[in-house]
Amino acid sequence: MLKKIPDIISPDLLYTLAQMGHGDDIAIVDANFPATSHAQKLIRADASNSDQLLSAILQLMPIDDFSSDSLRVMAMANGELPTIAQDFSRICHFAEDREVLPHGLSRQDFYQQAKNAFCIVATSERRLYANCLIRKGVVPPGSTHS
């Protein structure tokens, strides 16, 4: 056991987060997402939902602040952002103490970017369109890690 690591973060996910570098993407996807066929690296996070997992990950991982699309979500078929996109944005704001706006992608664009992600974390989330991509940022010199 380790201290200060959220219980929802598995050893495989913790190792993967540590391996990621600045600019790498992690996809957090719902139960309907074709994760196995799209992942270069797949981590299962069964019995968790997308927003809980995002919150736990962001306790450990910084979000890139060099680009305006560090938070990408799958848009619905009509092009609108799903309700959960605002939840993702609030979670990012809380973690980073800055506004992180969701950038909508069509289903096919999201699939393509997820295929290129460092890893896909598959949840058992049942809400539709509960998928996001987060771009890893940097921990600047002199900042604390605890």
Side-chain angles (χ1 to χ4, degrees):
M1 295 292 300
L2 297 173
K3 294 167 49 174
K4 299 185 181 180
I5 305 293
D7 290 343
I8 199 170
I9 302 288
S10 69
D12 288 339
L13 181 51
L14 182 62
Y15 181 65
T16 298
L17 293 171
Q19 288 180 310
M20 291 174 64
H22 177 228
D24 283 338
D25 285 330
I26 185 168
I28 300 170
V29 300
D30 63 31
N32 290 300
F33 190 88
T36 301
S37 63
H38 282 68
Q40 293 183 51
K41 177 177 181 133
L42 176 62
I43 296 175
R44 301 287 324 173
D46 298 313
S48 64
N49 65 37
S50 296
D51 50 358
Q52 288 175 327
L53 190 61
L54 176 62
S55 182
I57 287 170
L58 294 183
Q59 291 180 47
L60 306 172
M61 186 188 94
I63 300 172
D64 182 50
D65 62 358
F66 291 117
S67 60
S68 62
D69 66 345
S70 294
L71 168 61
R72 283 146 291 145
V73 299
M74 183 187 292
M76 297 184 297
N78 64 7
E80 292 181 20
L81 296 185
T83 306
I84 197 168
Q86 292 308 313
D87 295 336
F88 291 152
S89 184
R90 278 192 292 277
I91 291 165
C92 292
H93 180 267
F94 180 78
E96 294 288 305
D97 197 26
R98 64 180 169 88
E99 189 172 54
V100 180
L101 297 175
H103 178 78
L105 298 173
S106 71
R107 183 173 63 115
Q108 291 306 318
D109 287 344
F110 190 95
Y111 283 176
Q112 189 57 50
Q113 288 193 29
K115 278 185 179 183
N116 294 324
F118 191 88
C119 95
I120 293 177
V121 184
T123 70
S124 54
E125 176 68 65
R126 297 297 302 261
R127 288 174 286 182
L128 301 177
Y129 297 98
N131 306 298
C132 69
L133 284 150
I134 301 290
R135 186 167 298 128
K136 186 175 184 179
V138 298
V139 177
S143 65
T144 61
H145 295 350
S146 57

